[in-house]
Amino acid sequence: MSSDKDRKRKTKRDQKIRERHEEEQRLQRREKSMHYRSLAVEAFRSGDYRRALDHILKDLKIYPSDLKALHFALDCAERLPDEEAELGILEQMYRADLLDEKA
């Protein structure tokens, strides 16, 4: 009987450890994403659209379906102009089912 209780405690403890680890990973991804986004905005404001696009694309590797980041990337690509980047971003939006019929 004691071994059942011990096993349940261990299972519960292991689950808590896994959940804590997953939460730490989520926070690290979020922090990294915010860093790239802030660098992208800074570059955009200074008129360096290529650098802004590079940073926002790194952010999109972390959160590929982030609609605001996708629109920001598209805006950067349009200002360059970088048709290849625009098409890649539009394709990513299409695959994530984020494009309106009207667009």
Side-chain angles (χ1 to χ4, degrees):
M1 192 63 145
S2 174
S3 72
D4 276 347
K5 284 183 179 181
D6 290 342
R7 198 172 327 121
K8 285 181 182 180
R9 272 191 231 132
K10 183 180 180 336
T11 301
K12 195 171 186 177
R13 186 178 64 241
D14 289 347
Q15 178 64 29
K16 283 184 179 184
I17 290 170
R18 268 193 306 277
E19 288 171 358
R20 211 172 318 130
H21 181 69
E22 288 170 2
E23 181 62 22
E24 287 172 4
Q25 287 181 327
R26 264 192 301 277
L27 289 172
Q28 287 174 351
R29 280 192 309 272
R30 184 40 121 188
E31 193 173 295
K32 197 177 220 182
S33 169
M34 289 171 57
H35 175 71
Y36 287 135
R37 191 164 303 195
S38 122
L39 290 173
V41 168
E42 185 180 311
F44 188 88
R45 286 184 180 154
S46 70
D48 189 348
Y49 304 119
R50 170 59 56 198
R51 196 167 53 103
L53 180 61
D54 291 343
H55 287 304
I56 204 67
L57 289 175
K58 289 177 185 177
D59 178 33
L60 284 166
K61 286 183 180 179
I62 299 168
Y63 294 109
S65 298
D66 186 321
L67 192 55
K68 285 183 181 182
L70 285 163
H71 281 285
F72 188 83
L74 194 56
D75 192 21
C76 291
E78 287 172 345
R79 287 173 189 251
L80 282 173
D82 186 340
E83 192 173 300
E84 186 178 327
E86 280 183 73
L87 291 174
I89 296 161
L90 287 169
E91 180 182 4
Q92 187 173 350
M93 292 172 82
Y94 176 78
R95 288 182 183 198
D97 200 27
L98 298 172
L99 288 177
D100 291 341
E101 295 278 332
K102 297 175 188 175

